[in-house]
């Protein structure tokens, strides 16, 4: 369907079958329950001078818990890797000491992934282990060991751990209780990104920040970062420890630029909004934007970015605390001009109304006699980072009573698209263009907000004006009179989206019709780098090439039609009677390939129509995260239409959708049709892993069987056998909440390897409008809530 980069290893996501793995002792598996994060680290880069990874070596990461529990599971990451990484053994154990690689006797546990003892993580993706019983102590240390047998490309890591971890020179030592084989020390965490526990804790607090949250200059191996001290406060509070603390700090991190590591907005979904059990977020960011290179001498962009983080956190139903920026007088980058920027940012944090609470770190640590400087007893010596005593003082000013969830406000997704590539031939963006995206709603409401994406861009993009209106019809750029609304972002009429990031508009009052059409128009005044797009919309949108026409009710200026959606990625509505959103996640068949253009005849559209036809108010929105050419395991190269692989886009396109309650997953046919020798066990385990990550976010998951493909150009009997094996697994697995048998619905009863001619669009792979309707009719509406 599209050319892709890289080679998938022979067995991705497992080297033994689930059946073989199922013979392990049942007592080692943990029961189902509520999970919270006890530790995390954010991916900050790849290990320098290590292009082929740790072949035939074992990594023993030492990590510190905040809350304890009776069971554990581990997240592993390859989000910044460029090829798949294979892990033949992964273990977790209680550490005997905070500065040694030895395990407490009897605590070593071998982890599995969908029942398999090994796992391969696609480039850009993460995986979550199966739960396993282990008495995890609070405020203690764990060993997470990973054996990587072969060369695997760049190693995703968290650079500044302030903690000693360990490497073996060769061989699989993951299950060694003794640390004797681990003769090399490192001060970073490779591959491991999170540890969850099942226990009495009610949720987790995520601390989002830079080197000060990362704990720079704190005592190594002592866990004296300010989030550690916050965890200690929660442990010391009367009663069971109610909240875990997760550290999403990255040294040198910024709001606006990805100079050294992914900027905060580009990693918000992955590091914050999908953190297990997250209830609250504490944000401390901006000092590197002020003092680092390039320096930002105008506070407005920093303020806007902080406001945007607060808006997205609150939209997820989480409480957000803003931390004031610490003094940096005497540091190498200090100037009086930059101090003025810091003061303006802190004034916004204290009084701007963006946050639910404020932690005034500035007041707590500044020198009363010289308030532009840190107090001497809190200064590590560089006049920027605190010492241990300063980090303790920071934790002391966080109001524990404000670390709780907030009402999400009855917001649900009514439309969504997944970004797949950058626009060919638009490397400088679309300067002085207005882009009018026509999008189709599933659910109506009395207010709306819009999400814009620069997820695949490499430079910031300025949106000079953004509007939303009801369309007069689905195939024209004209707005219904009186419905044009100018959108704002933190009260401002324009917004700059950092590379890799997304932004969410302020809510506006608008009577949004169900099963109707909206116009999302953006004006991009300046060159901005590659344009993030969804290339196959099966919908005509429009472009004006001569200036700002975003607020035009009449579409006269929009003379250039397009079949792509640019920048616009979601529309949410406030619908008090609705209880959630169904996310349809898949490839071209979910995207609606070969459906009638402007007809909204994709199967997710037909599903939305069925829900709307039920008596009473419509209770569920339906959004479409299909990408034509998408695969589970590989990503497209360059301007290929297939987009990031399923694992690389889960957080953005599935797990953080507004109001998401159920996912319908239909993926795998492109892997089968394009890999030289597709392996069914690989795809089974991949589907299991996607289901595990959806369940970890509290989502129900319905999986569709893969539809017939005989007659397509790359069809072979070998590939057909793989499809049949995967479909047999989908129909019988207990990993999913429900199954919809799309294959049985659309196949030809006389030649079951083919699509029924009455449902075939003509290419023998994609259904016609009638086929998409039949797919939607096959879904049991009762499983969607």
């Amino acid at each position: 369907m599209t050319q892709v980069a890289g080679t998938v290893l022979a067995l991705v996501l497992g080297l033994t079958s689930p059946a073989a793995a199922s013979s392990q002792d049942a007592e080692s598996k943990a029961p189902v329950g509520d999970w919270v994060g006890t530790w995390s680290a954010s991916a900050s880069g790849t290990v320098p001078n290590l292009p082929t990874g740790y072949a035939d070596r074992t990594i023993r990461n030492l990590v510190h818990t905040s809350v304890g529990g009776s069971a554990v599971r581990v997240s592993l990451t390859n989000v910044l890797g460029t090829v798949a990484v294979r892990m033949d053994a992964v273990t977790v154990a209680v550490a005997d000491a905070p500065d040694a690689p030895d395990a407490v006797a009897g605590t070593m546990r071998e982890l599995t992934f969908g029942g398999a003892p090994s796992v391969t993580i696609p480039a850009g993706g993460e995986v979550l282990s199966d739960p396993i019983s282990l008495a995890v102590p609070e405020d203690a240390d764990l060993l997470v060991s990973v054996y990587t047998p072969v060369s695997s490309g760049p190693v995703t890591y968290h650079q500044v751990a302030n903690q000693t971890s360990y490497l073996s020179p060769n061989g699989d030592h993951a299950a060694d209780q003794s640390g004797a084989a681990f003769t090399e020390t490192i001060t970073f965490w490779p591959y491991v990104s999170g540890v969850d526990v099942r226990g009495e804790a009610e949720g987790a607090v995520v601390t989002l920040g830079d080197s000060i949250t990362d704990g720079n200059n704190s005592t190594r191996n002592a866990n004296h970062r300010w989030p550690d001290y916050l965890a200690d406060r929660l442990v010391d509070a009367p009663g069971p420890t109610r909240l875990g603390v997760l550290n999403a700090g990255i040294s040198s991190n910024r709001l606006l630029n990805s100079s050294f590591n992914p900027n905060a907005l580009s990693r918000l979904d992955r590091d914050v909004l999908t953190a297990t059990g997250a209830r609250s977020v504490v944000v401390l960011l901006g000092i590197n934007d002020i003092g680092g290179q390039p320096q930002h001498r105008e506070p407005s962009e920093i303020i806007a970015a902080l406001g945007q983080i607060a808006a997205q956190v609150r939209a997820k139903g989480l409480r957000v605390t803003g931390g004031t920026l610490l003094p940096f007088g005497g540091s190498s980058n200090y100037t009086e001009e930059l101090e003025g920027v810091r003061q303006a940012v802190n004034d916004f944090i204290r009084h701007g109304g963006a946050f639910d609470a404020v932690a005034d770190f500035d007041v707590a640590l500044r020198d009363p006699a010289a308030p532009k400087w840190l107090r001497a007893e809190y200064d590590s010596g560089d006049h920027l980072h605190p010492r241990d005593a300063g980090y303790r003082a920071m934790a002391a000013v966080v109001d524990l009573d404000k670390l709780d969830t907030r009402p999400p406000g009855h917001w649900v997704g009514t439309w969504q698209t997944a970004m797949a590539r950058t626009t060919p031939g638009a490397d400088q963006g679309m300067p002085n263009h207005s882009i009018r995206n026509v999008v189709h709603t599933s659910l109506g409401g009395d207010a709306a907000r819009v999400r814009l994406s620069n997820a695949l861009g490499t430079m910031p993009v300025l949106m000079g004006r953004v509007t939303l209106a009801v369309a007069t019809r689905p195939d024209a750029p004209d707005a219904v009179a009186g419905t044009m609304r100018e959108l704002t972002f933190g009260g401002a009429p324009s917004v700059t989206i950092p590379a890799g990031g997304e932004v969410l508009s302020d809510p506006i009052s608008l009577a949004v019709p169900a099963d109707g059409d909206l116009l999302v128009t953006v004006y991009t005044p300046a060159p901005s780098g590659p344009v993030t797009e969804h290339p196959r919309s099966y919908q005509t949108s429009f472009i004006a090439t001569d200036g700002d026409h975003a607020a035009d009710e009449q579409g006269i200026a929009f003379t250039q039609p397009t079949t792509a959606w640019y920048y616009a990625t979601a529309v949410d509505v406030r619908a008090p009677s609705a209880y959630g959103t169904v996310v349809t996640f898949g490839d071209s068949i979910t995207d609606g390939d070969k459906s009638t253009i402007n007809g909204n005849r994709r199967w997710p559209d037909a599903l939305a129509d069925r829900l709307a036809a039920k008596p009473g108010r419509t209770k569920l929105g339906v959004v479409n995260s299909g990408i034509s050419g998408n695969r589970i395991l590989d990503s497209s190269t360059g301007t290929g239409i297939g987009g990031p692989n399923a694992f690389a886009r889960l957080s953005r396109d599935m797990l953080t959708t507004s109001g998401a309650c159920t996912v319908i997953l239909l993926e795998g046919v492109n892997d089968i049709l394009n890999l030289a020798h597709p392996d069914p066990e690989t795809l089974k385990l991949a589907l299991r892993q996607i289901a595990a990550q959806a369940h970890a976010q509290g989502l129900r998951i319905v999986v569709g069987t893969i539809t017939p493909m005989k007659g397509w150009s790359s069809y072979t009997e070998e590939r057909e056998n793989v499809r049949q094996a995967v479909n047999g697994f989908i129909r019988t697995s207990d990993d999913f909440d429900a199954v919809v048998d799309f294959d049985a619905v659309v196949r030809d009863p006389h030649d079951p390897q083919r699509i029924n001619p009455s449902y075939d669009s003509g290419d023998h792979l994609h259904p016609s409008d009638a086929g998409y309707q039949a797919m939607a009719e096959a879904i049991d509406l009762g499983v969607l809530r």
Side-chain angles (χ1 to χ4, degrees), residues 54 57-62 95 97-102 143-146 163-169 179 181-190 221:
Y54 291 112
R57 302 190 72 180
T58 305
I59 306 154
R60 179 153 283 182
N61 295 283
L62 202 152
D99 55 358
D102 305 288
L143 305 173
V144 179
S145 303
V146 176
Q163 171 66 54
T164 304
S165 289
Y166 304 90
L167 292 171
S168 74
F182 295 92
T183 56
E184 182 179 336
T185 61
I186 55 176
T187 58
F188 47 85
W189 287 306
N221 300 336

Side-chain angles (χ1 to χ4, degrees), residues 139-152:
D139 193 22
D141 300 288
L142 298 178
L143 305 173
V144 179
S145 303
V146 176
Y147 171 58
T148 51
V150 296
S151 297
S152 58

Side-chain angles (χ1 to χ4, degrees), residues 202-206 243 268-269 272-275 277-282 308-321 354 356 402-412 449 451 504 572 655-660 697:
E202 301 168 356
V205 181
V206 185
L243 294 170
L268 191 64
D269 286 351
V272 177
L273 301 184
T274 54
R279 301 185 70 163
S280 183
V281 179
V282 183
Q308 186 56 222
I309 288 174
Q312 293 191 42
V313 169
R314 295 172 81 168
K316 185 68 174 173
L318 310 181
R319 190 172 294 274
V320 59
T321 296
D356 297 300
K402 299 292 179 66
L403 301 180
D404 210 342
T405 50
R406 65 192 312 277
H410 301 292
W411 287 89
V412 295
R449 64 190 184 198
R451 188 177 296 269
L504 184 67
D572 301 337
L655 304 180
T656 54
T657 295
S658 293
Q697 294 297 312

Side-chain angles (χ1 to χ4, degrees), residues 151 220 250 414 536 670:
S151 297
R220 183 173 295 171
I250 295 179
T414 189
R536 293 190 175 180
N670 290 319

Side-chain angles (χ1 to χ4, degrees), residues 433 541-545 557-562:
H433 282 49
S541 292
F542 304 90
I543 298 172
T545 60
F558 294 90
T559 57
Q560 181 177 317
T562 178

